[in-house]
Amino acid sequence: MRNDFQVSIILPCVSLTLGLIGNILAIASLLYRRFRPLRLIVYQSIRRATSQQPTAVRTGNFHGIKEEAKKFGVIHIIVIVLLSVDIIGIVITSTITINRYATNLEMQESLLRLQIFNFVFITLLVLSLIMLIAIDRIIALKFAFRYNAEVGKRAYQVLYVIGIIFLFEIVFSLLPITGVVNTCVSPSYSVPRGCSQQSEYSVYLIFFVILGLILVSVTLVCNVLSLIEISRNLKKKIRMVSNYCEQGWRMTEVQKFVQILLVTISCFSCWLPLLIRILKNQVKVDTNYSQDIIAIQLTNVNLIVNPWLYWLLRESNLKRFVDFLK
């Protein structure tokens, strides 16, 4: 067993704390958006009308000002599922890492198998959900009118798609756990690898990496197309379905552009190193365990920043937080 690299218990504890706080706050904010009472929404509309159009308040004419309850669309459902998976992944990964530290990198075979399941299942599920968000965004941007008219009314049907993906990936992840695929585990390994290049476990891991690369590639293509579509809208000054003025609409489009760009950078920089590292470990013997630890930590970073990228750093949420503090 190698002892030439240090495993600090501080890092998994910090990751666990930050991840739980961010994801729970984001889920609470999304659920508040879905279930907040209508009277509060009407009150906020009247308060906004008072500050913007006092004459409308005196005459009792609130036409065009009073807003309806915010839509709870496809992206909100996918993000809630993604954040819930993030919490599970953070808890399992941090628990395993803390156990490694407490036992001087030695782990029982049951925890090693749990680690393999965590690698495969959480990685594929998170990448699949990120891909679904990217697909939803490009459809919403490319076919805005039809999306709001049809897809918005059937938002909860996306749960069937998520359910199918969940079942496929949990069955795939259980193959090495149930013994269908013979595994080769060692207490010294941080990233799953086969015993030899010809072993069926190595073939399984290579297929897993291929699936992960396909998900990442589809996400990249969709996000690039979304960025191109937003750029075209900004250049042509196309007014989409919105109640904002011209300046507010342009700021919203710029916010979407920056958000998608940051999501793309985060997805690639945090997940590609893990996939490449697993693939490299199957092609040839590589005992650079410190790089394995770095690849695992980068995936934890993505699980921590997801709630901030997808929800908490939205302009409306920041304004709501400032109003709450006031």
Side-chain angles (χ1 to χ4, degrees), residues 279-320:
L279 182 61
K280 188 177 180 180
N281 288 338
Q282 314 316 314
V283 175
K284 65 176 182 178
V285 178
D286 188 353
T287 57
N288 193 338
Y289 304 114
S290 59
Q291 292 187 7
D292 290 354
I293 295 295
I294 293 174
I296 297 172
Q297 291 172 350
L298 285 175
T299 60
N300 283 338
V301 170
N302 181 259
L303 299 181
I304 293 173
V305 302
N306 272 343
W308 301 96
L309 291 178
Y310 285 106
W311 188 250
L312 291 178
L313 291 182
R314 290 168 62 94
E315 182 182 2
S316 58
N317 290 327
L318 293 178
K319 288 182 178 179
R320 189 179 298 117

Side-chain angles (χ1 to χ4, degrees), residues 242-259:
S242 175
N243 293 325
Y244 297 108
C245 62
E246 180 69 20
Q247 182 180 1
W249 172 79
R250 289 180 63 86
M251 287 300 298
T252 302
E253 296 301 297
V254 171
Q255 179 185 341
K256 290 179 182 178
F257 186 94
V258 173
Q259 181 189 32

Side-chain angles (χ1 to χ4, degrees), residues 2-12 94 96-106 190 289-290 293 297:
R2 293 286 302 276
N3 290 316
D4 57 348
F5 64 94
Q6 299 296 325
V7 179
S8 175
I9 196 173
I10 298 177
L11 187 59
S94 299
I96 292 175
T97 307
I98 293 173
N99 179 272
R100 277 178 170 267
Y101 174 83
T103 59
N104 194 23
L105 301 181
E106 293 285 350
S190 298
Y289 304 114
S290 59
I293 295 295
Q297 291 172 350

Side-chain angles (χ1 to χ4, degrees), residues 269-284:
S269 60
C270 293
W271 290 105
L272 271 184
L274 177 66
L275 297 175
I276 294 174
R277 191 68 196 156
I278 294 176
L279 182 61
K280 188 177 180 180
N281 288 338
Q282 314 316 314
V283 175
K284 65 176 182 178

Side-chain angles (χ1 to χ4, degrees), residues 73-278:
V74 173
I75 188 171
H76 303 105
I77 298 173
I78 302 176
V79 169
I80 284 182
V81 177
L82 173 63
L83 299 179
S84 302
V85 175
D86 285 349
I87 292 176
I88 297 173
I90 290 171
V91 170
I92 295 178
T93 303
S94 299
T95 301
I96 292 175
T97 307
I98 293 173
N99 179 272
R100 277 178 170 267
Y101 174 83
T103 59
N104 194 23
L105 301 181
E106 293 285 350
M107 289 200 304
Q108 298 178 353
E109 184 176 352
S110 59
L111 275 180
L112 289 170
R113 294 188 180 276
L114 176 62
Q115 183 184 32
I116 295 173
F117 175 82
N118 179 61
F119 267 114
V120 178
F121 178 68
I122 298 298
T123 300
L124 288 180
L125 190 54
V126 169
L127 291 178
S128 297
L129 293 171
I130 293 176
M131 181 194 68
L132 287 180
I133 293 174
I135 293 175
D136 175 74
R137 289 300 84 197
I138 183 58
I139 294 176
L141 289 168
K142 195 74 175 178
F143 311 99
F145 292 99
R146 189 169 183 178
Y147 179 89
N148 283 279
E150 297 183 11
V151 179
K153 297 178 180 179
R154 306 173 182 175
Y156 287 94
Q157 292 185 3
V158 74
L159 291 175
Y160 295 112
V161 178
I162 296 175
I164 294 173
I165 294 174
F166 178 86
L167 289 176
F168 168 77
E169 292 176 352
I170 198 170
V171 169
F172 181 79
S173 304
L174 287 174
L175 292 179
I177 308 299
T178 56
V180 177
V181 175
N182 294 325
T183 59
C184 178
V185 295
S186 171
S188 300
Y189 294 158
S190 298
V191 169
R193 64 194 74 194
C195 300
S196 64
Q197 297 180 11
Q198 292 77 27
S199 67
E200 60 181 28
Y201 185 47
S202 292
V203 175
Y204 170 84
L205 291 175
I206 292 174
F207 184 68
F208 157 71
V209 172
I210 293 174
L211 285 177
L213 291 176
I214 291 174
L215 295 174
V216 172
S217 300
V218 174
T219 301
L220 173 64
V221 172
C222 291
N223 284 344
V224 170
L225 292 176
S226 297
L227 294 175
I228 294 174
E229 190 67 23
I230 293 174
S231 300
R232 287 177 179 174
N233 290 342
L234 289 172
K235 288 181 180 180
K236 297 179 181 180
K237 296 184 179 181
I238 299 175
R239 187 181 297 275
M240 301 173 64
V241 180
S242 175
N243 293 325
Y244 297 108
C245 62
E246 180 69 20
Q247 182 180 1
W249 172 79
R250 289 180 63 86
M251 287 300 298
T252 302
E253 296 301 297
V254 171
Q255 179 185 341
K256 290 179 182 178
F257 186 94
V258 173
Q259 181 189 32
I260 294 175
L261 182 63
L262 291 177
V263 166
T264 305
I265 295 174
S266 172
C267 179
F268 267 76
S269 60
C270 293
W271 290 105
L272 271 184
L274 177 66
L275 297 175
I276 294 174
R277 191 68 196 156
I278 294 176

